[in-house]
Amino acid sequence: MVALLCFLFVLSGAAGLIYESIWARYLGLFVGHSAYAQIIVLVIFLGGMSAGAMAVSRWSERLKQPLWAYAVIEFVVGYLGLFFHDVFQAVTGWAYAAVYPHLAGSWTLTAAKWAIAGSLILPQSVLLGMTFPLMSAGLLRLARGQNGRILSLLYFSNSLGAAAGVLVAGFYLLERAGLEGTLIAAAILNLAVAAATGIVMLSRRKQPRRATAAAKEAAPSSRRTPPGLERLLIIVSLGTAVGSFVYEIAWIRMLALVLGSATHSFELMLSAFILGLALGAWWIRARADRLPEPLRTLGVVQCAMGVLALATLPLYVASFEWIASLLSALTRTDSGYVAFTIVRYGLCLLIMLPATFCAGMTLPLITRTLMAHGLGERAIGAVYSWNTFGSIVGVVLGGLVLLPMLGLKGMLLAGALVDIGIGLLLLWRLGPRQPHRRLLMAAAAASLLFTAVIGGGVRLDTRLLSSGVYRTGSIRGPEEREVIFYRDGRTATVTASRLMPSGQISLATNGKADASLAAVWFRPCGAAGSRAPLMADAATQTLLPLITLAHAPQAQTAAIIGQGSGMSSHLLLGSPAIREMVTIEIEPQMIEGSRAFYPANRRAFDDPRSQIVIDDAKSYFASEQRKFDIIMSEPSNPWVSGVSGLFTTEFYDRIRRYLTPEGVFGQWLHLYELDDDLVLSVLAAMQQNFRSYEIYQVARGDVLVLASNRARLPAPEWAVFQSPALQEDLCRFAPLTPEVLDGLHLAGKRELGPLLQSNSQPNSDYFPVLDLGAERRRFRRDFAGGFPALSADWYNLVASQRGRRTPASKEVALGLPESPRVWARAVGALLRQSAPVQMDTAFGPMSRDAVFRWRQWQSSIAANRAPAGWELWLDQAAAMERLVSGGTAGMADEEFYRGLRRVMDRHSAPAPVRDVVRFRHAIATWSFAEASEVGERLMPLIARGGRWMPADELRDGLLMARLHIKDVKGARRAFDTLTPLSARPSAELRSQLLSSYLRGAEWMRASMVRRPAKAVSVTP
C-alpha cells in the first residue's frame, strides 16, 4: 500500500509542476514577462503553497483520516483545473474591458492587476500546499516507526513526478494539446489520484486510529524538544531553500549562455534541478531512521552542498567547449536535435546534480528530527511551509538583488556561503563534547577556504560567455572580439562587442546578436571611399522604421517594442512630423548596452521627443490605454522564452486596438532559423486581426510585415527618405531609389489570404506553435526560403494575382544586394548593357558568373550552329531568361525571345520546342489565353515523360493561366495530371499557394452553383 500511495504521489507531483509551468504561461499573458512579473508569479504560487502547508500543519493531527482529506483536496484541485482556461479568459477579458480603462495611469492599476492575477491561482496553490503534509501524515500512520524512510520516499516521489511532469508537458502535451489541453491533462491526473486514494481507503477494512504507534512516537508528550531546536531547524529549512533557489536562478542564467534561452532549455534545467532533489531524498530514505546524530549529518550535507555548488564552476567553463564539439559532430536533423536535447539534459544534471542531491536530503532529515523530538505531525507542514517561504526569499533575493549587484559568479558564491554558514551553525550547535567535533570544524574551515579559492580562481571570460555557442557551434569568431559592455540583467545577459579589425559593433542578449553596425556608421559624411550598399543588420535596422514611416508619413505618435540598437527610434525621429516616440524595453541593461552605438542612435537618447519605458509590451499598452499612429514590434527571436507571445493572434487582437484609424503596425520577423510553416503561423495570426497587410523583404533573412485596420494599406510615400535628417543619416550609403524600395515588396493579404485562411495554424498564446517549434528549426539551421523565392522567380506568382506589372530595371547600381528581387533586376540591367560595365563589389562572384554565362549564350546564339540537343537548349534558354528577366513581372525581354525564334527558324526546331518557347513568353507577358492553349498541347507530352520542360514549370503556369481565364475545371485537370510529376514537395510554399488558389476558385464556383435564385413576387 505504501508503494501504491507513493506512486500516486508521483502523479500528483507531475500534475503540480504542470500547473506551475502552465500557470506561469497564463499569467505571463496577463501581467507580462518582465523580471518583476516572472518573480511575482512565482511568489504567488509558492506563497500559496506555503500558506496551505502552514494551515494544514495546525489541524492535521486532529484529522482521523488525513488521506481522505488528501483525496478531497486532489479532487478539488483537479475540478478547478478543468475550468481554469475559461475562468482565465473571462476574468482577464473583464479586466481589460472594465478595470484597465478606469485605472489607466494610476498606481492602483498595478495593485489591481496583481490582485486579479493572485485570485486566479492562489486558491489552487493553497490547496496544492496542503497535499504533502496530508499525504505524509496519512502514510506515516500506515507505516509505523519509519518516519525518516516514509518522508524521504514522499519527497522523492513528489519530486520525481515534478521532474517528469515538466518534461512531458513541455515536450509532448503542449505541442499536441496547447495550454488548455495540458491543464486538462493535469486536472485528470488529480482526479485520478483522488479516485485511487479513495479506493485505497475504502479497501482497508481496519482504519487506523488517529494516533498510531508512529504518531505516538513523535507526539508532543513523548519527548521534550531541546531548547531552541525547533527554531534552529525551521531557520535551516528556510535558509537551505534560499540557497537552493539562488543556485537555481544562477544556474539557469549561466546555462542559458551555453544551451540557449529557449523554453525547452529552461524546461530541461528545471527538470534536472528537481531530479537532483528527488535522488537525494531517495538516497537518504534507508539511512534517515538509523542516523545516530542527524544534526551532524545535516551540517555536513549543508557544507558539502555549498562546496559542490561552487565546484561546478570549472565544469561550467569547460561546457562551452563541450557544446561546441557536440554541435560540430551532430547532423543538423531531427534525430540530431533529439541527441542534442539528451546531451543538454545530461549537462544540466552534471552542473546541478551534486548540490541538489545534497539539498534533497535536507528536508527529510529536518522533518524527521523535529518529529522525533516531540513536534509530531505538525513538523511536516511547518518545515514544508517555511522551506517554501524560503524559496520565495531566494527568488526575490536572487533575481532582484544578488544578480544585478554581484553577477552570476558572485550570486553563486553568495548561495554557497549561505549553505556553508548554515552547516557551520549546525556543527557548532552540536556542542564541545560531541566526538569528532574538531575534525568536523576543520572540514568546515576547509570548505570556506575552497570557496575562497574557487571564487577567486575561476574566471568567467565575458568573450566566452557571450559567444552564443549554442547557435554557432563555435566559441571563437572569425575576428578578434573586444567586449566593451557586459551586464547580467534581470531577464538576460547583455553584451556589446567590437570586432577587430573591422570595427563593427554588435549587441547580444544571452550570446545571440540582436543588432550590429559596421564602422562606416561612425565615420563623418564625405569620408574617403565610395558610398556603400546597405547590408546585413544595418539594412534591417534602417529599412524597418523607414518603410513603416513611408506608409504613415504624417504620423505624430509612435511606439517601438524592443530597443535593440536604438536605430529604429533614432530614424523615426528623423521625421519632423513625429511629436512623441515611446520605446518599450523589458530589460534595462539593453538600454545601457545600446549606448555602444552612440552617436549613430543619438536621437533615441537625446531628442526630447523620445521616451524610454522599462516594461513588458503587453503590460504597457494595456496599462496606458492610448493609441499610436505607428507601432513597431522588434523583439528578440521567437525561440527565446517568452518572446513568441509577441507574435500571437491574441497579441495582435490587442495591439490593433491601440492604433489610430490611420495607424500602421510594423512586425519584424526573421526567415533564418525558421521554416515556411512557422512564418505562415505568424502571418495567419495577423490575418485574423488586421484587414490589410503587406510584406517587405528588408534583408536576406528579415521581413517586415505592415498591417492596418483599414481595408487597404495606402501606397508608400518614398519621399520620406528625402527628409534632411534622414539624408544625413544615410549619406554614407548608396541611394535608395523608389524603384529599389518597390522591389522589396513580396506579397500581401490578396496573395497569401487564400492559403492562410485554409491551411495555416495561427500562432496563439494558447497553442504556441512558434515557441514550441522555433528551437528545433534553429538547431536544424532551417531557412524559410519560400518567401524570397516568390519575388525573384521567372514567373512572379503573387504579382499576377495582384495584377501589378514590374518592368525590367535600367538601374545597375545595387543599393540593397541582399534582396533577391533587387539583385535579380540589377543583374538583368547589367546583362542588357551594350557596353562593358565595371561591376560594383556588392554584386559578388555570382554576378560575375552570370555575366560569363550570358556572354557564352550570346555567342552561341550568334553562331550559325544547330543546338546539340533541343531539350538541353530549352534548359539553357530558361536559365538565361531567369538571368535577364529576373525580378520582373508581366513583362518579357522581347529581344531575348526574338533571338530564340531566330535560332528555331534557322534550324527547324520541332513543334514541342516552339510550344515551350511560346508558353514561356505567354506566361511572362500574362497572355493567359495563349498560355492555356499552348499548355494544353504540352501537358500530354510532359505527362508521358517528355523532358521538354519541367513538370513544375508547366503546372504552375498552366494552372494560373486557367484560373485567370476562369477555367476552374481545366485548372483542376492540369493540377491533378502534373502534380504526381512534381519535383517539389507538397509542403513547399509555392505548391501550397497553388493548391489554395485552386481550392478557393472551386469553392467560389460551387457557391455560385448552390446559390438559390431570387424569389419573384407575384401580385395577385
Side-chain angles (χ1 to χ4, degrees):
M1 186 172 293
V2 170
L4 176 58
L5 289 172
C6 285
F7 172 73
L8 294 178
F9 212 40
V10 170
L11 301 181
S12 177
L17 239 293
I18 291 174
Y19 284 130
E20 180 185 350
S21 60
I22 301 303
W23 285 342
R25 283 178 176 265
Y26 271 103
L27 293 194
L29 302 175
F30 180 58
V31 300
H33 287 89
S34 68
Y36 293 112
Q38 294 172 17
I39 288 172
I40 293 177
V41 168
L42 196 54
V43 165
I44 293 172
F45 178 75
L46 294 173
M49 292 191 67
S50 177
M54 183 62 73
V56 82
S57 71
R58 300 183 182 279
W59 49 266
S60 65
E61 287 181 342
R62 297 195 296 272
L63 287 174
K64 185 177 181 181
Q65 297 293 348
L67 287 179
W68 276 116
Y70 169 79
V72 169
I73 287 176
E74 287 280 358
F75 175 82
V76 174
V77 171
Y79 183 78
L80 293 175
L82 291 175
F83 301 100
F84 181 86
H85 178 81
D86 296 326
V87 171
F88 176 84
Q89 286 192 309
V91 170
T92 55
W94 164 78
Y96 283 126
V99 177
Y100 277 62
H102 292 90
L103 302 180
S106 167
W107 66 269
T108 55
L109 176 59
T110 301
K113 180 168 61 176
W114 286 111
I116 293 169
S119 69
L120 287 168
I121 69 169
L122 192 58
Q124 300 96 306
S125 300
V126 171
L127 292 173
L128 286 172
M130 295 179 178
T131 57
F132 185 87
L134 288 173
M135 173 62 86
S136 300
L139 204 51
L140 286 172
R141 295 182 190 183
L142 295 177
R144 304 179 180 182
Q146 304 178 55
N147 290 2
R149 177 175 177 273
I150 294 301
L151 289 169
S152 299
L153 278 174
L154 289 176
Y155 276 112
F156 163 75
S157 302
N158 201 243
S159 299
L160 181 65
V166 68
L167 295 181
V168 171
F171 284 88
Y172 183 80
L173 290 176
L174 273 172
E175 188 172 343
R176 287 157 179 81
L179 267 67
E180 182 182 10
T182 303
L183 268 186
I184 290 175
I188 291 172
L189 278 181
N190 287 129
L191 296 175
V193 168
T197 305
I199 293 171
V200 168
M201 294 300 292
L202 290 173
S203 67
R204 296 183 68 250
R205 294 181 181 179
K206 273 191 172 184
Q207 299 294 343
R209 296 180 180 271
R210 181 173 61 86
T212 61
K216 289 178 180 178
E217 174 192 326
S221 59
S222 64
R223 192 183 302 180
R224 288 187 177 183
T225 305
L229 180 64
E230 178 182 351
R231 180 180 300 174
L232 172 65
L233 291 184
I234 290 297
I235 292 173
V236 170
S237 68
L238 184 149
T240 190
V242 172
S244 295
F245 263 80
V246 168
Y247 296 150
E248 182 180 4
I249 294 172
W251 283 330
I252 286 176
R253 288 291 301 275
M254 290 165 68
L255 287 169
L257 301 175
V258 186
L259 306 179
S261 50
T263 299
H264 285 331
S265 294
F266 288 132
E267 290 160 351
L268 294 173
M269 298 174 207
L270 181 58
S271 176
F273 185 89
I274 299 173
L275 182 60
L277 300 177
L279 295 177
W282 174 260
W283 186 86
I284 201 67
R285 81 196 187 287
R287 300 163 177 82
D289 293 311
R290 303 199 306 265
L291 291 172
E293 187 52 71
L295 286 184
R296 182 174 64 193
T297 303
L298 186 59
V300 172
V301 166
Q302 287 289 152
C303 290
M305 193 189 326
V307 170
L308 291 172
L310 276 183
T312 60
L313 278 174
L315 296 176
Y316 172 68
V317 172
S319 68
F320 285 86
E321 285 280 6
W322 299 341
I323 291 297
S325 300
L326 174 69
L327 288 174
S328 64
L330 290 175
T331 56
R332 297 305 181 101
T333 60
D334 285 334
S335 58
Y337 177 73
V338 172
F340 180 57
T341 300
I342 293 172
V343 174
R344 283 190 298 169
Y345 193 54
L347 178 59
C348 293
L349 288 172
L350 181 65
I351 298 295
M352 298 181 178
L353 185 60
T356 55
F357 186 88
C358 295
M361 304 181 206
T362 57
L363 293 194
L365 287 175
I366 293 171
T367 310
R368 195 266 177 196
T369 302
L370 286 175
M371 292 185 71
H373 285 83
L375 216 61
E377 291 177 1
R378 185 166 65 88
I380 304 170
V383 170
Y384 191 82
S385 173
W386 283 103
N387 184 261
T388 307
F389 181 73
S391 301
I392 297 173
V393 175
V395 168
V396 175
L397 183 67
L400 299 183
V401 180
L402 296 180
L403 182 60
M405 287 179 57
L406 304 178
L408 292 175
K409 189 175 81 169
M411 182 178 175
L412 197 66
L413 180 62
L417 290 174
V418 168
D419 277 329
I420 293 172
I422 292 173
L424 290 175
L425 178 64
L426 287 168
L427 294 176
W428 185 264
R429 177 67 169 71
L430 292 174
R433 295 182 181 179
Q434 288 290 332
H436 310 301
R437 182 173 181 272
R438 291 183 178 179
L439 182 61
L440 291 171
M441 295 304 294
S447 67
L448 285 175
L449 179 62
F450 176 83
T451 301
V453 171
I454 290 292
V458 177
R459 178 174 172 266
L460 299 182
D461 187 349
T462 54
R463 287 179 298 178
L464 181 72
L465 299 181
S466 58
S467 62
V469 62
Y470 56 87
R471 286 187 71 237
T472 63
S474 172
I475 60 175
R476 298 176 181 86
E479 298 179 276
E480 185 64 26
R481 191 158 54 92
E482 174 193 1
V483 175
I484 56 180
F485 178 89
Y486 183 94
R487 294 288 189 278
D488 293 312
R490 292 168 183 161
T491 61
T493 297
V494 180
T495 313
S497 306
R498 180 182 288 108
L499 295 181
M500 304 301 291
S502 68
Q504 174 177 302
I505 294 178
S506 64
L507 185 68
T509 53
N510 289 338
K512 162 64 178 70
D514 279 337
S516 66
L517 284 179
V520 65
W521 282 89
F522 306 98
R523 296 172 189 158
C525 289
S530 59
R531 299 179 73 171
L534 271 173
M535 301 176 66
D537 285 349
T540 301
Q541 292 159 196
T542 301
L543 295 173
L544 287 180
L546 296 187
I547 293 177
T548 305
L549 181 64
H551 286 79
Q554 304 305 317
Q556 297 184 6
T557 58
I560 292 182
I561 301 171
Q563 166 78 352
S565 64
M567 290 298 295
S568 290
S569 302
H570 169 81
L571 291 169
L572 277 182
L573 288 166
S575 166
I578 295 289
R579 295 182 179 177
E580 182 182 6
M581 171 82 250
V582 179
T583 304
I584 308 150
E585 173 57 52
I586 198 170
E587 174 51 62
Q589 295 304 331
M590 197 69 178
I591 304 297
E592 296 305 312
S594 67
R595 293 182 184 275
F597 296 106
Y598 194 91
N601 60 2
R602 61 193 177 279
R603 285 192 287 269
F605 295 104
D606 300 343
D607 197 306
R609 298 172 294 169
S610 175
Q611 177 189 3
I612 298 176
V613 176
I614 304 299
D615 199 354
D616 175 87
K618 293 181 180 179
S619 176
Y620 172 81
F621 285 109
S623 301
E624 291 296 315
Q625 290 288 311
R626 54 172 301 195
K627 297 181 183 294
F628 294 89
D629 298 320
I630 288 176
I631 299 177
M632 290 186 61
S633 181
E634 302 179 52
S636 190
N637 299 67
W639 50 260
V640 176
S641 179
V643 173
S644 70
L646 297 176
F647 297 88
T648 64
T649 183
E650 292 81 7
F651 173 70
Y652 296 138
D653 177 54
R654 294 289 172 193
I655 209 71
R656 68 185 174 88
R657 305 180 191 191
Y658 305 127
L659 286 173
T660 59
E662 305 298 314
V664 173
F665 172 69
Q667 174 71 72
W668 165 81
L669 182 63
H670 61 89
L671 302 178
Y672 59 89
E673 299 175 342
L674 292 179
D675 60 13
D676 289 335
D677 284 342
L678 286 184
V679 173
L680 287 172
S681 75
V682 177
L683 296 177
M686 297 194 75
Q687 176 154 307
Q688 283 189 339
N689 296 284
F690 292 100
R691 297 179 66 194
S692 61
Y693 61 84
E694 302 293 340
I695 306 171
Y696 289 83
Q697 184 174 6
V698 295
R700 180 180 179 274
D702 298 300
V703 295
L704 168 66
V705 187
L706 289 174
S708 170
N709 292 323
R710 288 174 285 180
R712 184 176 180 181
L713 197 69
E717 295 186 18
W718 300 126
V720 297
F721 280 74
Q722 303 305 315
S723 77
L726 294 177
Q727 282 290 294
E728 181 182 355
D729 290 327
L730 301 177
C731 65
R732 307 161 188 85
F733 303 99
L736 299 177
T737 64
E739 181 180 287
V740 167
L741 294 168
D742 281 331
L744 301 179
H745 184 266
L746 282 182
K749 186 172 185 176
R750 180 170 179 174
E751 296 83 10
L752 298 179
L755 172 60
L756 297 176
Q757 282 182 322
S758 59
N759 271 11
S760 297
Q761 165 68 49
N763 184 45
S764 167
D765 287 336
Y766 307 116
F767 212 106
V769 294
L770 186 61
D771 182 47
L772 298 172
E775 186 189 29
R776 182 186 294 267
R777 273 66 170 190
R778 186 200 74 200
F779 174 84
R780 294 190 323 207
R781 294 177 174 170
D782 285 354
F783 187 82
F787 287 90
L790 292 178
S791 68
D793 279 356
W794 73 279
Y795 169 52
N796 195 313
L797 189 73
V798 294
S800 72
Q801 280 291 93
R802 181 166 297 224
R804 186 169 70 183
R805 298 178 187 269
T806 304
S809 174
K810 298 179 181 179
E811 183 66 55
V812 177
L814 197 54
L816 295 168
E818 291 185 344
S819 167
R821 193 174 185 189
V822 171
W823 186 89
R825 296 184 73 209
V827 168
L830 181 69
L831 299 181
R832 287 188 296 273
Q833 295 289 321
S834 56
V837 177
Q838 181 68 35
M839 282 186 291
D840 189 271
T841 55
F843 276 98
M846 290 181 62
S847 302
R848 289 191 286 272
D849 177 68
V851 171
F852 175 75
R853 292 165 58 201
W854 175 253
R855 288 172 180 169
Q856 279 193 320
W857 171 260
Q858 292 290 85
S859 298
S860 68
I861 290 292
N864 191 20
R865 293 193 303 270
W870 286 107
E871 291 176 346
L872 178 60
W873 182 82
L874 285 172
D875 289 343
Q876 292 173 332
M880 292 304 104
E881 184 185 25
R882 283 160 172 75
L883 287 179
V884 76
S885 299
T888 62
M891 310 288 286
D893 187 317
E894 297 300 339
E895 179 60 32
F896 174 79
Y897 274 98
R898 281 193 289 270
L900 296 184
R901 284 191 284 269
R902 284 196 297 268
V903 173
M904 291 188 295
D905 292 340
R906 187 183 306 142
H907 301 291
S908 304
V913 175
R914 296 180 180 275
D915 281 344
V916 168
V917 172
R918 281 189 63 197
F919 177 79
R920 286 173 173 166
H921 182 267
I923 288 294
T925 57
W926 295 355
S927 304
F928 295 120
E930 180 184 2
S932 181
E933 174 194 342
V934 178
E936 183 68 26
R937 293 199 299 269
L938 288 170
M939 187 163 57
L941 297 177
I942 303 303
R944 289 195 298 267
R947 293 190 63 255
W948 300 107
M949 70 185 306
D952 284 312
E953 181 183 350
L954 179 61
R955 182 191 67 169
D956 295 1
L958 183 56
L959 185 147
M960 291 302 298
R962 287 189 166 162
L963 289 181
H964 276 288
I965 64 174
K966 311 299 183 185
D967 181 8
V968 180
K969 288 185 177 179
R972 168 55 69 182
R973 186 171 66 254
F975 185 80
D976 292 342
T977 301
L978 296 171
T979 292
L981 305 174
S982 173
R984 295 199 304 259
S986 58
E988 191 259 355
L989 180 61
R990 196 177 183 93
S991 298
Q992 289 190 65
L993 276 173
L994 288 168
S995 180
S996 70
Y997 293 161
L998 179 57
R999 288 196 307 271
E1002 288 175 332
W1003 182 87
M1004 288 288 294
R1005 184 173 180 274
S1007 65
M1008 294 282 291
V1009 172
R1010 290 194 302 267
R1011 186 176 299 167
K1014 292 182 180 179
V1016 179
S1017 104
V1018 179
T1019 304

